[in-house]
């Protein structure tokens, strides 16, 4: 718009100038002077002629007048011949010719005019004659002049009028453009005013917000000077706004120990733009009150930037009360935790103390010769056994819960055959299943369930709870256990479903809570603590899995548990353990030492082992065990852990270290410490295995013989030969001996890293177990499991055993 107006303005000026020029030309054309000049040529010529006539009559006295007339005539000619005004007149060729004749006449007369009077007098007749000849030309020139100037005038007028019309039009457009410009400017002005009003509104709103904010708000410029300090800030820091504004913020409200850091932070931001506290959300820091008191604040700072200015806006809150409350809460929590810890310690001690007598009761029951009892007595005995087992499971539940609550549960991973674990668990529930008139089905839906890595012990505990519940709450129905590896490969899903009483929609949300037993007619008859699912959920979470329940009341329930159990590569057929029938066929009666300070427990264990075909000797404590092991070479030592004076762990380590007759004997721990942490501690101490009290007939007849067979090298060897064939076996054995020799060299070299040696021992252990070289196998296993305390003795023993074995081979 501005450009258009400027263009129009330029055009108008240009037109105005043209008009001026044209008017000038017109005025010249119409000027009297110009016309008069032409007419005057004729008049002056006549006067000149008259002067000639007079001079001829009167002689020399009036020659001066004649000369003056000539000069006037001469100048008239010069004006018409030279002045640009007469350009148009001169442009016509006939006029040019006339002017030339005029000039020639004048030029001819000049010598006479300038000469002496006598000469001039003599020339007068010729002059008159010449002037008469020239006169018609001059007349014609004058007339032509009048005509020419009339034409010029008419043309100039037309031109002026055209230019004036153009000028008027241009002015009109200019006026319209100016009006439009004014309208636009007015619009802009109105808009600017609206924006200004809006800004004013926003500003007043912002000011109201800042003023009424409950948080202290400080605005600081890049030099650290406070430029705004609201009412809340006055309350928080004790300064009035007048006192604060203009002051350095760091001097006023930043405690001395933070001042340098604050100033560095500001400088760094201004230099590099790097933000640490700015725009970092809520930050907790300390601030300084006018009174000198340092107090905790929560603040957030943001930088408001535009092209030429940056300011920092800080929102601060005094959190002294909040911090005090938090500290109070932490103290209360610590106290509560201490109370909780004391409670769980009490529970754990109580449970341990209850287990020992229970162990005695249940063990004695197993030993009673039922054949000589009446039916009534057998029923009473069964009642005692059922109640005793129930009591034991309650004690275990409470102990588990208190332990899980007291310490965070960590999953303990081992490699195990998941399919076998599930089948064994289901087998162990068959009696309960039958007792309820149920059928139980197992579906192992994936073929990648043989060897997995995970926490077998805790998984078993969860499955026991779920399968136990399914049977407990189902009568004459079907319990199904499905195991399937999910698509992602890591996770195995366990689905335990039943066709039992189900759980109502209202109750299903509660069943994983502590001590919840749904009050149904059925469950009132059943036994439980309401802790099974609570423990299961905690264990599942600790293993990184999840569990959920679905149920339709009256139709049945489905418990789905998903756990990460990655596959491990292992040849199951080769590492499978010898079957029970192998053991039963074994004619050797193992010599076993039972070590326990509790007479009843020792007696029960001894009787169970005797009934299972062991030759048994007894030791009533760690000391006695060490003495016996020094002299006699036992096949098995069953060692109680908690014993006065010398406990089980110490006795084990002494027996292993002493190099006595039983230094390499299989030693199995027997403990009432059911928690996983305790079990791990015991295993790490170097025991070959661990059995939980009360010792059961099943453990004696299945678990112990598995270990004892390990000793019978020949059996393992035969297994391997039958699998590999004699030629391959011989080859593999030779390779193994080479490997073992290399391992021995590394083991003997001082300074080898324990973890490396243990990894190698693990690998070699695999070969030894496959080939049935069980003496090496045991030492390798010992090395692999040994912790820092027992590493040296395990290493020494292993070196001795390997040297002996390898020298025999060579
Ligand atoms: P309990 O020791 O009583 O079995 P749990 O925590 O294992 O405690 O179970 C809590 C409650 O959930 C049980 O008392 C029972 O009412 C209900 N429940 C658990 N499993 C089932 C199931 N399979 N069918 C029906 N009800 C069940």
């Amino acid at each position: 718009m501005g450009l258009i107006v400027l263009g129009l303005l330029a055009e108008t000026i240009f037109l105005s100038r043209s008009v001026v020029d044209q008017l000038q030309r017109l005025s010249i054309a119409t000027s009297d002077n110009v016309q008069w000049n032409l007419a005057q040529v004729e008049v002056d010529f006549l006067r000149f002629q008259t002067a000639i006539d007079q001079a001829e009559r009167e002689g020399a006295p009036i020659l001066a007048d004649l000369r003056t007339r000539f000069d006037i005539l001469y100048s008239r000619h010069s004006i018409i011949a030279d002045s640009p005004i007469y350009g148009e007149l001169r442009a016509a060729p006939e006029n040019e010719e006339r002017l030339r004749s005029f000039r020639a006449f004048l030029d001819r007369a000049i010598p006479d005019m300038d000469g002496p009077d006598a000469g001039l007098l003599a020339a007068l007749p010729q002059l008159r004659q010449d002037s008469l000849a020239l006169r018609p030309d001059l007349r014609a020139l004058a007339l032509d002049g009048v005509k020419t100037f009339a034409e010029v005038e008419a043309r100039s007028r037309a031109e002026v009028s055209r230019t004036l019309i153009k000028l008027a039009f241009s002015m009109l457009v200019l006026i319209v453009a100016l009006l439009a410009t004014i309208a636009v400017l007015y619009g802009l002005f109105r808009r600017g005013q609206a924006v200004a009003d809006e800004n004013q509104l926003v500003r007043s709103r912002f000011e109201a917000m800042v003023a009424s904010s409950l948080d202290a708000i400080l605005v600081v410029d890049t030099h650290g000077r406070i430029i705004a300090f609201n009412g809340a800030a006055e309350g928080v820091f004790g300064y009035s706004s007048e006192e604060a504004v203009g002051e350095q913020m760091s001097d006023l409200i930043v405690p001395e120990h933070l001042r340098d850091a604050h100033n560095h932070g500001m400088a760094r931001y201004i230099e590099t733009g790097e933000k640490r506290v700015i725009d970092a959300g809520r930050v907790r820091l300390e601030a300084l009150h006018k009174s000198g008191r340092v107090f905790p604040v929560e603040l957030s700072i943001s930088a408001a930037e535009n092209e030429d200015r940056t300011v920092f806006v800080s929102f601060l809150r005094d959190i002294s009360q909040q911090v005090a409350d938090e500290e109070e809460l932490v103290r209360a929590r610590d106290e509560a935790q201490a109370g909780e810890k004391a409670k769980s310690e009490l529970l754990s001690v109580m449970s341990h103390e209850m287990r020992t007598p229970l162990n005695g009761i249940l063990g004695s029951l197993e030993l009673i010769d039922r054949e000589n009892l009446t039916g009534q007595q057998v029923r009473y005995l069964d009642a005692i056994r059922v109640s005793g087992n129930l009591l034991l499971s309650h004690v275990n539940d409470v102990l588990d819960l208190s332990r899980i609550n007291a310490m965070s549960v960590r999953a303990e991973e081992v490699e195990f055959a998941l399919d076998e674990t599930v089948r064994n668990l289901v087998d162990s529930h068959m009696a309960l299943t039958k007792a309820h008139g149920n059928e139980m089905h197992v579906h192992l839906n994936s073929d990648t369930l043989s060897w997995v890595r995970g926490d077998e012990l805790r998984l078993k505990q969860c499955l026991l709870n779920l399968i136990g519940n399914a049977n407990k709450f189902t009568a004459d129905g079907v319990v199904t256990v499905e195991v399937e590896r999910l698509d992602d490969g890591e996770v195995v899903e366990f689905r335990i479903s039943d066709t039992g009483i189900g759980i109502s929609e209202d109750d299903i949300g509660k069943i994983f809570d502590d001590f919840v037993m749904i009050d149904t007619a059925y469950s009132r008859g059943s036994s439980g603590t309401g802790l099974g699912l609570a423990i299961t959920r905690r264990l599942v979470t600790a293993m990184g899995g999840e569990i959920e329940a679905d149920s339709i009341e009256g139709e049945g329930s489905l418990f789905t548990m998903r756990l990460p159990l990655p596959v491990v590569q292992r040849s199951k057929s080769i590492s499978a353990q010898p079957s029970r029938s192998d053991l039963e066929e074994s004619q050797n009666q193992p010599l076993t030492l039972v070590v326990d300070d509790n007479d009843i427990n020792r007696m029960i264990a001894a009787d169970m082992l005797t009934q299972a075909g062991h030759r048994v000797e007894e030791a009533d404590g760690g000391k006695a065990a060490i003495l016996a092991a020094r002299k006699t070479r036992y096949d098995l030592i069953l060692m109680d852990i908690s014993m006065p004076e010398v406990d089980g762990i110490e006795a084990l380590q002494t027996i292993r270290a002493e190099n006595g007759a039983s230094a390499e004997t299989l030693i199995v721990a027997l403990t009432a410490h059911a928690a996983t942490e305790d079990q791990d501690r015991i295993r790490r101490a170097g025991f070959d295995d661990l059995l939980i009290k009360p010792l059961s007939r099943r453990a004696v007849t299945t678990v112990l013989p598995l270990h004892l067979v390990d000793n019978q090298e020949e059996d393992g060897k035969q297994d391997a030969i039958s699998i590999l064939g004699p030629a391959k076996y011989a080859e593999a054995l030779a390779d193994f001996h080479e490997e073992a020799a290399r391992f021995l060299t590394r083991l003997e070299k001082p300074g080898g890293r324990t973890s490396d040696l243990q990894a190698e021992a693990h690998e070699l252990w695999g070969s030894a177990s496959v080939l049935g070289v069980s003496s090496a196998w045991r030492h390798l296993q010992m090395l692999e499991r040994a912790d820092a305390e027992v590493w040296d003795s395990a290493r020494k023993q292993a070196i001795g055993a390997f040297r002996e074995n390898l020298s025999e081979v060579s």
Side-chain angles (χ1 to χ4, degrees):
M1 181 60 87
L3 282 177
I4 295 173
V5 171
L6 275 179
L8 286 167
L9 202 62
E11 162 128 1
T12 311
I13 292 169
F14 171 75
L15 287 172
S16 309
R17 272 201 69 94
S18 312
V19 170
V20 170
D21 287 349
Q22 283 160 7
L23 283 175
Q24 216 165 19
R25 252 180 280 144
L26 184 63
S27 81
I28 291 167
T30 54
S31 136
D32 289 346
N33 201 19
V34 174
Q35 311 251 355
W36 178 81
N37 226 346
L38 277 173
Q40 204 58 31
V41 172
E42 224 186 327
V43 171
D44 286 336
F45 195 74
L46 278 175
R47 281 187 183 149
F48 178 66
Q49 281 183 319
T50 312
I52 292 172
D53 290 344
Q54 217 173 348
E56 271 183 329
R57 276 191 318 270
E58 293 174 29
I62 59 156
L63 281 182
D65 183 44
L66 178 66
R67 283 193 177 98
T68 307
R69 294 289 163 204
F70 181 80
D71 286 345
I72 291 169
L73 201 57
Y74 195 89
S75 69
R76 289 274 177 241
H77 170 272
S78 298
I79 289 170
I80 295 167
D82 299 334
S83 168
I85 297 169
Y86 299 99
E88 189 110 8
L89 182 71
R90 286 193 301 267
E94 60 275 16
N95 289 337
E96 205 185 354
E97 185 51 44
R98 284 167 190 145
L99 278 170
R100 213 178 294 124
S101 311
F102 188 16
R103 177 79 195 203
F105 166 77
L106 292 171
D107 287 346
R108 274 196 309 277
I110 286 171
D112 297 327
M113 288 295 163
D114 292 344
D117 288 354
L120 182 58
L121 284 174
L124 285 177
Q126 184 62 42
L127 263 178
R128 182 157 39 84
Q129 215 174 332
D130 285 352
S131 69
L132 282 174
L134 186 65
R135 200 165 153 191
D137 276 350
L138 287 186
R139 173 139 206 96
L141 187 69
L143 287 175
D144 224 28
V146 170
K147 198 174 108 219
T148 303
F149 280 107
E151 273 170 19
V152 168
E153 186 188 337
R155 225 174 32 242
S156 293
R157 272 184 211 287
E159 215 170 296
V160 167
S161 107
R162 266 200 313 277
T163 311
L164 277 175
I165 290 169
K166 261 196 218 166
L167 182 63
F169 181 72
S170 161
M171 297 261 297
L172 190 72
V173 174
L174 180 64
I175 288 166
V176 170
L178 280 173
L179 285 176
T181 309
I182 289 168
V184 168
L185 287 176
Y186 183 68
L188 286 175
F189 168 72
R190 289 296 302 268
R191 212 178 307 158
Q193 213 165 27
V195 170
D197 288 351
E198 180 69 18
N199 282 347
Q200 181 58 37
L201 194 70
V202 170
R203 198 187 157 90
S204 9
R205 254 190 243 147
F206 176 72
E207 276 169 2
M209 263 158 55
V210 169
S212 61
S213 164
L214 295 178
D215 285 342
I217 300 177
L218 272 85
V219 183
V220 176
D221 66 12
T222 44
H223 302 292
R225 259 196 309 272
I226 299 173
I227 45 184
F229 196 81
N230 74 343
E234 293 180 340
V236 169
F237 296 104
Y239 293 99
S240 70
S241 169
E242 290 74 35
E243 283 174 308
V245 171
E247 292 300 318
Q248 277 294 325
M249 180 177 107
S250 58
D251 296 343
L252 217 60
I253 63 157
V254 179
E256 230 173 277
H257 66 281
L258 295 176
R259 221 165 269 168
D260 279 351
H262 167 82
N263 292 335
H264 280 135
M266 287 276 268
R268 186 184 52 241
Y269 174 76
I270 288 158
E271 262 174 42
T272 65
E274 186 193 335
K275 298 172 179 176
R276 292 205 187 148
V277 181
I278 296 168
D279 290 340
R282 290 173 183 211
V283 182
R284 276 191 179 194
L285 280 176
E286 283 178 329
L288 182 66
H289 189 267
K290 187 179 181 182
S291 65
R293 173 174 59 89
V294 174
F295 61 99
V297 287
E298 192 173 70
L299 86 159
S300 77
I301 306 179
S302 53
E305 295 166 351
N306 65 16
E307 298 102 48
D308 54 352
R309 201 165 171 218
T310 299
V311 292
F312 304 100
V313 184
S314 314
F315 289 77
L316 293 111
R317 189 177 294 173
D318 180 351
I319 53 166
S320 305
Q321 189 56 46
Q322 188 182 331
V323 168
D325 292 348
E326 280 171 8
E327 280 168 3
E328 179 59 30
L329 263 176
V330 168
R331 206 175 49 74
R333 186 202 61 195
D334 289 349
E335 275 175 12
Q337 278 178 345
E340 194 59 31
K341 198 164 165 234
K343 191 179 84 187
S344 69
E345 272 169 12
L346 175 74
L347 278 172
S348 138
V349 171
M350 283 298 295
S351 123
H352 187 259
E353 293 307 313
M354 285 166 84
R355 274 158 184 268
T356 310
L358 259 176
N359 189 15
I361 296 167
L362 292 170
S364 304
L365 280 176
E366 296 262 340
L367 291 175
I368 290 174
D369 184 1
R370 292 166 171 248
E371 279 168 22
N372 299 325
L373 299 178
T374 64
Q376 179 81 333
Q377 284 169 325
V378 170
R379 276 197 300 282
Y380 287 159
L381 276 186
D382 282 343
I384 297 170
R385 188 172 47 77
V386 169
S387 303
N389 278 327
L390 199 58
L391 184 55
L392 188 64
S393 92
H394 289 321
V395 168
N396 280 341
D397 272 2
V398 173
L399 179 69
D400 272 354
L401 189 77
S402 69
R403 288 203 182 245
I404 291 172
N405 282 346
M407 58 194 81
S408 60
V409 196
R410 272 185 304 114
E412 303 291 338
E413 300 209 322
V414 291
E415 290 175 8
F416 66 100
L418 177 61
D419 47 1
E420 266 172 37
T421 304
V422 173
R423 276 206 198 93
N424 288 342
L425 265 173
V426 170
D427 284 350
S428 73
H429 273 78
M430 276 310 171
L432 180 66
T433 310
K434 287 211 182 85
H436 285 259
N438 294 332
E439 271 177 41
M440 181 138 67
H441 301 297
V442 188
H443 299 294
L444 302 170
N445 294 345
S446 307
D447 51 12
T448 48
L449 304 173
S450 302
W451 285 93
V452 300
R453 169 167 283 283
D455 192 333
E456 186 189 12
L457 212 72
R458 292 201 168 106
L459 168 68
K460 273 188 192 167
Q461 205 174 341
C462 297
L463 285 172
L464 269 173
N465 278 332
L466 297 174
I467 298 175
N469 277 351
N471 274 309
K472 220 158 65 172
F473 297 105
T474 306
D476 302 325
V478 180
V479 172
T480 310
V481 178
E482 284 178 281
V483 186
E484 184 174 338
R485 185 170 289 283
L486 297 184
D487 284 345
D488 80 347
E490 281 253 304
V491 175
V492 175
E493 186 172 274
F494 299 82
R495 294 185 291 271
I496 295 93
S497 56
D498 62 63
T499 56
I501 57 162
I503 307 160
S504 74
E505 248 177 69
D506 289 346
D507 293 329
I508 200 149
K510 299 187 274 189
I511 55 171
F512 289 104
D513 295 345
D514 294 349
F515 297 106
V516 166
M517 293 168 70
I518 310 303
D519 187 17
T520 59
Y522 193 98
S523 63
R524 242 169 272 143
S526 81
S527 55
T529 50
L531 284 176
L533 290 179
I535 292 170
T536 303
R537 196 201 51 197
R538 283 179 173 82
L539 294 177
V540 167
T541 309
M543 287 187 278
E546 53 190 23
I547 183 165
E548 61 202 31
D550 280 306
S551 188
I552 300 177
E553 205 174 0
E555 291 194 15
S557 310
L558 165 67
F559 285 81
T560 309
M561 173 169 77
R562 285 178 217 98
L563 293 172
L565 293 168
V567 177
V568 286
Q569 295 307 329
R570 229 161 129 164
S571 163
K572 189 181 162 194
S573 57
I574 290 178
S575 58
Q577 293 174 330
S579 67
R580 211 177 295 182
S581 59
D582 288 343
L583 309 175
E584 279 155 10
E585 279 164 18
S586 162
Q587 295 305 309
N588 277 347
Q589 278 205 322
L591 179 62
T592 300
L593 177 69
V594 177
V595 189
D596 200 321
D597 60 315
N598 183 303
D599 293 343
I600 301 171
N601 285 351
R602 199 174 61 245
M603 178 194 80
I604 294 164
D607 282 1
M608 274 189 198
L609 286 163
T610 310
Q611 284 178 12
H614 292 241
R615 288 173 292 139
V616 179
E617 289 182 11
E618 294 180 30
D620 63 359
K623 249 192 200 154
I626 294 166
L627 285 176
R630 204 177 286 159
K631 283 188 263 150
T632 314
R633 189 185 184 288
Y634 295 101
D635 294 307
L636 167 69
I637 299 175
L638 199 58
M639 177 90 76
D640 183 31
I641 295 297
S642 317
M643 291 185 292
E645 293 180 36
V646 178
D647 70 6
I649 293 177
E650 198 185 333
L652 165 95
Q653 285 167 353
T654 315
I655 293 169
R656 292 274 190 245
E658 269 189 354
N659 240 348
S662 286
E664 288 173 23
T665 291
L666 170 75
I667 307 181
V668 173
L670 188 59
T671 178
H673 297 276
T676 319
E677 291 72 23
D678 294 331
Q679 292 179 22
D680 287 344
R681 187 175 59 84
I682 292 165
R683 276 183 212 276
R684 278 200 306 274
F687 281 99
D688 293 290
D689 206 343
L690 176 148
L691 294 174
I692 305 293
K693 284 183 181 179
L695 186 63
S696 69
R697 218 180 265 281
R698 190 166 173 274
V700 171
T701 52
T702 59
V703 183
L704 291 181
L706 290 182
H707 289 291
L708 291 171
V709 153
D710 295 346
N711 276 340
Q712 293 159 2
E713 193 154 345
E714 205 47 42
D715 284 0
K717 215 184 251 177
Q718 288 314 319
D719 275 353
I721 291 170
S722 69
I723 291 163
L724 295 173
K728 255 199 177 157
Y729 178 82
E731 239 174 67
L733 194 64
D735 284 350
F736 170 75
H737 285 135
E738 268 176 38
E739 255 180 75
R742 279 197 294 274
F743 178 63
L744 175 62
T745 322
R746 278 191 288 277
L747 202 59
E748 283 171 330
K749 212 152 92 190
R753 263 179 46 182
T754 313
S755 57
D756 292 346
L757 291 169
Q758 279 183 324
E760 282 181 47
H762 177 80
E763 265 181 39
L764 208 56
W765 176 83
S767 312
S769 64
V770 169
L771 299 171
V773 193
S774 38
S775 51
W777 179 359
R778 176 158 332 290
H779 283 102
L780 289 165
Q781 203 172 10
M782 252 167 52
L783 282 175
E784 195 197 342
R785 287 181 182 170
D787 62 6
E789 269 177 54
V790 296
W791 170 254
D792 280 340
S793 79
R795 184 163 151 263
K796 228 183 268 163
Q797 282 181 48
I799 291 173
F802 271 81
R803 276 197 193 132
E804 201 177 306
N805 274 1
L806 290 171
S807 66
E808 271 172 28
V809 172
S810 57

